[in-house]
């Protein structure tokens, strides 16, 4: 976690955050090109995502070159993301599902995994091409130039604690007003048939809620040093939203891949795996409904707003001694 700079102006904090995530991106560049470890790609992608969140969160204070705008950084991240998605699918199949399958289904799934490996090679080629491109070089040049000579709006000189609630409350409102919270909301437990219908029709809305939770989490994490334990607890709750919806979505993505790789009747060839998918979705959904009810509770939503409006007082900066 970053420690606040002593001056704590809006602009100073923006500069520190941009420099941190840019350094992280660069530190994993060689590892991604060499394809030594999938974790290198993961960390570089995280760096891009967090940099984009910083640029959005501090947008009122920044004057940015085109190559460093949130829109452009989002595009860079998507190039990395396509390869990362393949890595995640491969890891999930091999570590989570293969050990649970009978031998005959393992053989069939290995056929699909060979096709996934070919897809990975294509995406790796695209990532390497991007990292060696003039476009990526412009991003690095523009970012370093901005860090050396940052350009700000007038509000950058304001003490950041004065405007923290104004920065965070719109992000929280966007999250809490998302229609995904009401998908499947019911005081009663949904039947299996109702759940299957829900998964078939409303998955895109839930997926978008997951993205909204991720945006809120990344933005809130930037300013965590200015808040206390209540804020940290609420951050964990938002992270859990992202995680549980992600689990619901991941199995849907895996099934879509299997249908493309093995055909529409793949469920007949992989009955054990499909039953595991089915059971996982239902178990995860029941965990999700508890969190869903929590975030739709009026008192909890009030507490979320109150926490953001009460950043912790800044401790006084220690005076340097003038004695010899």
């Amino acid at each position: 976690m970053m420690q606040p700079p002593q001056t704590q102006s809006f602009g100073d904090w923006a500069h520190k955050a941009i420099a941190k995530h840019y350094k992280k991106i660069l530190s994993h560049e060689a590892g991604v090109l060499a394809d030594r470890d999938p974790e290198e790609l993961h960390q570089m992608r995280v760096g891009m995502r967090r940099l984009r969140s910083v640029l959005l969160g501090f947008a009122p204070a920044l004057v940015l070159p085109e190559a460093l705008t949130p829109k452009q950084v989002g595009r860079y991240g998507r190039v990395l993301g396509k390869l990362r998605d393949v890595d995640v699918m491969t890891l999930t199949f091999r570590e989570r599902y293969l050990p649970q399958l009978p031998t005959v289904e393992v053989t069939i799934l290995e056929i699909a995994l060979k096709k996934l490996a070919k897809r990975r090679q294509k995406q790796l080629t695209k990532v390497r091409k991007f990292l060696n491109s003039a476009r990526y070089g412009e991003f690095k040049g523009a970012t370093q130039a901005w860090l050396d000579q940052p350009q700000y709006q007038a509000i950058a000189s304001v003490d950041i604690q004065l405007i923290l609630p104004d920065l965070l409350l719109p992000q929280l409102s966007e999250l809490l007003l998302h229609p995904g919270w009401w998908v499947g909301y019911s005081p009663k437990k949904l039947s299996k048939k109702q759940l299957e219908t829900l998964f078939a029709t409303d998955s895109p809305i839930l997926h978008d809620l997951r993205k909204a939770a991720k945006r809120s989490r990344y933005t809130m994490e930037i300013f965590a040093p200015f808040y206390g334990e209540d804020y940290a607890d609420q951050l964990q709750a938002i992270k859990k939203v992202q995680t549980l919806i992600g689990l619901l979505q991941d199995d849907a993505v895996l099934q879509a891949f299997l249908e493309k790789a093995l055909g529409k009747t793949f469920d007949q060839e992989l009955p054990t795996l499909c039953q595991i998918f089915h059971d996982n979705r239902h178990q995860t959904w029941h965990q999700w409904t508890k969190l869903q009810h929590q975030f739709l509770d009026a008192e909890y939503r009030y507490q979320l707003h109150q926490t953001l409006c009460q950043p912790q007082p800044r401790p006084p900066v220690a005076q340097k001694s003038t004695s010899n």
Side-chain angles (χ1 to χ4, degrees), residues 76-319:
Y76 310 148
R78 283 191 289 276
V79 175
L80 303 176
K82 291 179 181 179
L83 177 56
R84 176 59 185 169
D85 289 344
V86 175
D87 284 344
V88 170
M89 281 197 289
T90 303
L91 190 67
T92 304
F93 275 132
R94 291 203 173 280
E95 294 191 357
R96 185 177 180 187
Y97 292 117
L98 269 178
Q100 302 184 63
L101 300 182
T103 303
V104 64
E105 291 191 38
V106 169
T107 302
I108 294 170
L109 187 55
E110 287 289 359
I111 295 172
L113 286 170
K114 287 180 181 179
K115 294 184 179 181
L116 194 58
K118 291 181 180 179
R119 182 189 293 186
R120 185 186 190 280
Q121 193 57 46
K122 291 180 181 179
Q123 293 300 333
L124 176 61
T125 299
K126 291 180 180 180
V127 166
R128 284 173 168 163
K129 183 179 179 180
F130 166 68
L131 293 180
N132 287 306
S133 68
R135 180 185 174 200
Y136 181 65
E138 289 172 3
F139 159 69
K140 292 197 292 184
T143 305
Q144 191 57 59
W146 189 91
L147 289 170
D148 293 341
Q149 292 186 311
Q151 302 294 310
Y152 296 116
Q153 305 279 5
I155 198 174
S157 62
V158 173
D159 189 307
I160 194 170
Q161 288 192 310
L162 178 66
I163 56 175
L164 275 175
D166 303 305
L167 288 170
L168 291 169
L169 286 170
Q171 183 77 63
L172 178 65
S173 295
E174 180 185 346
L175 174 62
L176 295 182
L177 291 173
H178 195 284
W181 291 110
W182 283 268
V183 170
Y185 178 72
S186 172
K188 297 180 180 180
K189 185 177 179 180
L190 298 182
S191 68
K192 291 184 178 181
K193 184 177 181 179
Q194 287 174 315
L195 277 180
E196 290 305 314
T197 300
L198 183 150
F199 294 141
T201 59
D202 292 324
S203 287
I205 301 176
L206 289 172
H207 179 61
D208 196 65
L209 175 58
R210 183 194 183 193
K211 292 194 292 185
K214 185 182 297 184
R215 288 193 298 270
S216 293
R217 172 195 162 198
Y218 282 174
T219 301
M220 288 178 68
E221 283 178 343
I222 296 169
F223 303 110
F226 297 99
Y227 289 91
E229 291 184 7
D230 289 344
Y231 188 90
D233 290 343
Q234 290 162 1
L235 254 178
Q236 286 303 309
I238 292 173
K239 183 177 181 180
K240 192 175 180 181
V241 170
Q242 178 188 335
T243 299
L244 289 178
I245 298 179
L247 290 174
L248 290 171
Q249 297 297 316
D250 289 348
D251 283 351
V253 171
L254 295 178
Q255 289 184 85
F257 164 73
L258 290 173
E259 182 176 328
K260 186 173 183 179
L262 301 174
K264 293 184 178 181
T265 60
F266 78 91
D267 56 327
Q268 298 175 24
E269 298 180 273
L270 297 168
T272 306
L273 180 58
C274 289
Q275 185 61 47
I276 294 172
F277 285 153
H278 177 275
D279 294 343
N280 284 346
R281 277 202 310 269
H282 285 259
Q283 291 171 11
T284 303
W285 178 261
H286 293 312
Q287 295 179 58
W288 159 247
T289 55
K290 297 178 183 177
L291 200 59
Q292 180 188 36
H293 283 73
Q294 176 181 326
F295 272 84
L296 291 177
D297 177 75
E299 179 61 28
Y300 185 72
R301 292 162 83 92
Y302 175 76
Q303 290 173 2
L304 285 170
H305 285 90
Q306 289 299 107
T307 299
L308 298 190
C309 290
Q310 297 173 356
Q312 293 183 336
R314 182 176 60 193
V317 177
Q319 297 294 319

